[in-house]
Amino acid sequence: MSEPTRGPKGRVEIKSEECKGCGTCVELCPQDVLLLGNDLNRMGYRAVTYKGDGCTGCGICFYACPEPGALSVYKIKDKALA
Amino acid sequence: MARDTFTKAECLYDRYVRKTKVEPDQVSTHYCPGCGHGNVHKFVAETIDEMGLQDRTIFISPVGCSVFGYYYFHLSNVQAAHGRAPAVATALKRAHPNSIVISYQGDGDLAGIGGNEMLHAANRGEPVTMIFINNAIYGMTGGQMAPTTLLGMKTATTPAGRTARNEGGPIRVVELLSKLDGPVYLERVALTDAKQIYRARAAVRKAIQNQVENRGFSLVEILAPCPTGWKMDPVDARHWIEETMMQVFPLGVTCDRTKEIAPSEAKPVPFVHTDLRALLDIEDESEGFAPNRTHSEGVERGVRLKVAGFGGQGILLLGQGLAECGMGDGYEVSWLPSYGPEMRGGTAHCHVRISERPIGSPLVAESDVLIAMNRPSLERFLPDLVPGGTVLYDSSLIPDGVARSDVRAVAIPATQIANELGSPRTANMVMAGAFARATELFTVDHLKASLPRFVKAKATLAVNETAIDRGAAHMEKLLETVMT
Ligand SMILES: Cc1ncc(C[n+]2csc(CCOP(=O)(O)OP(=O)(O)O)c2C)c(N)n1
Ligand code: SF4
Ligand code: SF4
Ligand code: SF4
């Protein structure tokens, strides 16, 4: 077995102004690292926020989100960390 | 598929600039929070990006919440009338076989008002991709019952719940279409959990891939949340699909003949001019026609003609013959016979248009020329003749002339001449000859040469030719009288 990877495996980028606070990504994130925030965005929605760590870059939230640009996900390759 | 980045598809605009500037730089869609339309837009867009189809794709948006597809997709866009997307898709694909035509519809649009269109496009096996959003309701108009609404479901138009007795049961589209021979790929997927979302994405991909490989008609039905119409929280709405909707609309493939059909290149259905000529029995120039006649300069030549008389006088044939001759001479023509109860005994009439320009409608509301072969038809159609127009009337049957002074009335004793020829039924051709000479749209010789195309009894060709000559000669004499 190789060493468990340390450090973040993925990065989720949230464009709060495009989020409608529907909560679908929160519900479907397998790592449970997304959360609806308390602040309202310009449209009046409680935009989603990232808990800070634990994202694996799986991309599920990207497909679960109905808004084309609200979420972007980047996988962080092990090599890049080295 | 291993991917490192998940970002907004290139073929979706960065900003959604709308005609009515709701917000100058709108970056989010107009869909309600949690609406399934956005997810499916992403699947479609991503597939187009990955397959490099942006320059070839024509996206058809429907009437329904997704009517604004063109504000989102940076593709060629057509917005179809309610329910008509399959017909529009058919036309686009046939006219541009190399394009990728994606028809996107909701359930009211596809299975309600457009049910017939969907059925026939599927039955014809049009090689297009149809994306069908089943959210069990009319979203855009405020939550009325759709053909896919579940039994018992309360909507604006079924306030006590849909009942089978009153509204019929929900229509299962992919099952229904699977009974036809036309479709190649039909699948139902759902926007519920991650697994099903990936399935949905794969199904959209396959339906587009099938078109790239020209395999045939592909439709994906996607069970999608409409939290607003269902009056539910977006997360609950996805659970409701899983727990309730999927009981009525089971997921899965109902038809997949993809592998049976070899990939090929989409080709235009050839429209061969010679075939058309053969069909219309126009042989070639050797018959004495000059189809590429040079069009007149300045004044455009043409006529809006009505021909009328009683049944048995060969009225329709007369109109058809003049149109045929015009066509042989390279004019655009139309012939609109009036069929109906009046065919038997009453007046018979037809509308003929002969024009140097394409004809928009075969209907002749106002005529330039009227050929009237008995009194009732003269009375009926004379009012439609434009001032300065010409009426050619059978003076053997209408001895007392024409009661209008603002038109040119030309008396042709057609029946009398035909009787003299021993063939009363050729009165119509006497009129045809007079018409040719009077209008000079085509020559009398051309008219005679085109006779075999509309007179089927070859034995009567000679007498019909003579009748044409006699009519033309009579007209000639009248013209001389006017001149002198
Ligand atoms: C000819 C015509 N009839 C009715 C309407 C009103 N109308 C607009 S959208 C719609 C139903 C849309 O429902 P659906 O296809 O399910 O799409 P959704 O809005 O749910 O996405 C209706 C009936 C119309 N625009 N045109
Ligand atoms: S990429 Fe995966 S792990 Fe990361 S936030 Fe999205 S769903 Fe959660
Ligand atoms: S799914 Fe999209 S719109 Fe909904 S809360 Fe998450 S980021 Fe916001
Ligand atoms: S009404 Fe329903 S289908 Fe229309 S945008 Fe809102 S959630 Fe989507």
Side-chain angles (χ1 to χ4, degrees), chain B residues 444-460:
Chain B
V444 173
D445 283 345
H446 276 191
L447 179 60
K448 286 191 289 183
S450 60
L451 268 174
R453 291 216 307 278
F454 56 95
V455 174
K456 295 300 167 209
K458 302 298 166 206
T460 66

Side-chain angles (χ1 to χ4, degrees), chain B residues 4-316:
Chain B
D4 297 333
T5 55
F6 302 87
T7 50
K8 184 170 173 177
E10 299 273 322
C11 73
L12 292 171
Y13 289 109
D14 285 342
R15 285 177 295 122
Y16 312 128
V17 181
R18 292 179 52 168
K19 207 165 51 185
T20 47
K21 295 235 159 53
V22 182
E23 256 200 63
D25 280 351
Q26 192 150 344
V27 285
S28 54
T29 63
H30 72 292
Y31 298 116
C32 310
C35 171
H37 278 301
N39 297 83
V40 182
H41 284 18
K42 284 166 85 168
F43 305 155
V44 170
E46 189 177 83
T47 307
I48 289 169
D49 277 6
E50 283 175 12
M51 296 185 186
L53 304 174
Q54 186 177 17
D55 293 343
R56 287 168 66 189
T57 303
I58 308 175
F59 186 88
I60 305 168
S61 37
V63 168
C65 282
S66 47
V67 65
F68 288 151
Y70 46 85
Y71 284 135
Y72 306 128
F73 287 97
H74 192 172
L75 302 167
S76 299
N77 287 280
V78 175
Q79 201 276 308
H82 208 5
R84 307 302 172 230
V88 175
T90 300
L92 289 170
K93 187 67 184 177
R94 289 188 180 196
H96 304 283
N98 274 318
S99 60
I100 300 298
V101 176
I102 301 178
S103 171
Y104 185 107
Q105 298 177 268
D107 41 22
D109 193 77
L110 178 129
I113 190 169
N116 190 36
E117 308 258 343
M118 150 200 82
L119 205 59
H120 288 285
N123 194 45
R124 293 190 304 267
E126 298 297 340
V128 298
T129 305
M130 300 205 11
I131 305 293
F132 166 39
I133 306 296
N134 176 355
N135 57 15
I137 207 152
Y138 289 1
M140 184 192 195
T141 41
Q144 293 81 1
M145 190 198 85
T148 45
T149 295
L150 308 190
L151 287 176
M153 196 171 153
K154 290 184 177 152
T155 68
T157 43
T158 54
R162 180 177 189 167
T163 61
R165 185 167 158 51
N166 226 23
E167 293 89 16
I171 294 178
R172 295 178 184 87
V173 169
V174 288
E175 284 83 352
L176 184 71
L177 298 186
S178 72
K179 304 290 180 224
L180 302 174
D181 295 336
V184 161
Y185 168 55
L186 303 167
E187 181 168 0
R188 182 182 293 118
V189 293
L191 300 179
T192 52
D193 57 14
K195 186 173 146 206
Q196 298 307 342
I197 288 173
Y198 281 111
R199 277 237 166 112
R201 179 174 159 268
V204 167
R205 202 186 156 78
K206 176 165 173 163
I208 295 175
Q209 179 81 36
N210 275 358
Q211 189 175 170
V212 172
E213 291 166 357
N214 196 34
R215 291 191 205 251
F217 183 93
S218 301
L219 179 145
V220 184
E221 171 173 344
I222 301 157
L223 306 184
C226 172
T228 306
W230 302 349
K231 301 185 173 60
M232 280 183 208
D233 168 75
V235 171
D236 293 343
R238 289 183 189 240
H239 290 160
W240 187 78
I241 295 178
E242 207 165 345
E243 286 149 20
T244 309
M245 225 180 146
M246 275 161 54
Q247 309 305 312
V248 179
F249 296 108
L251 305 190
V253 175
T254 62
C255 160
D256 192 357
R257 300 194 292 119
T258 306
K259 291 222 174 71
E260 295 165 30
I261 293 156
S264 64
E265 220 173 279
K267 287 203 187 73
V269 181
F271 182 78
V272 184
H273 196 54
T274 49
D275 287 351
L276 185 66
R277 295 178 70 84
L279 192 70
L280 296 173
D281 207 15
I282 307 172
E283 274 166 23
D284 51 36
E285 272 80 321
S286 63
E287 259 190 77
F289 291 103
N292 297 320
R293 58 186 289 284
T294 48
H295 286 184
S296 46
E297 277 169 33
V299 177
E300 228 168 71
R301 292 160 58 80
V303 72
R304 295 169 299 171
L305 166 70
K306 262 188 191 151
V307 187
F310 59 82
Q313 278 183 314
I315 296 299
L316 302 187

Side-chain angles (χ1 to χ4, degrees), chain A residues 14-16 18-26 34 36 46-48 61 64-67 70-71, chain B residues 33-34 42:
Chain A
I14 300 162
K15 292 207 179 90
S16 315
E18 300 186 30
C19 171
K20 288 177 178 158
C22 72
T24 308
C25 59
V26 176
L34 299 172
L36 288 187
R46 283 176 62 192
V48 78
C61 58
C65 174
E67 275 307 310
L71 297 177
Chain B
K42 284 166 85 168

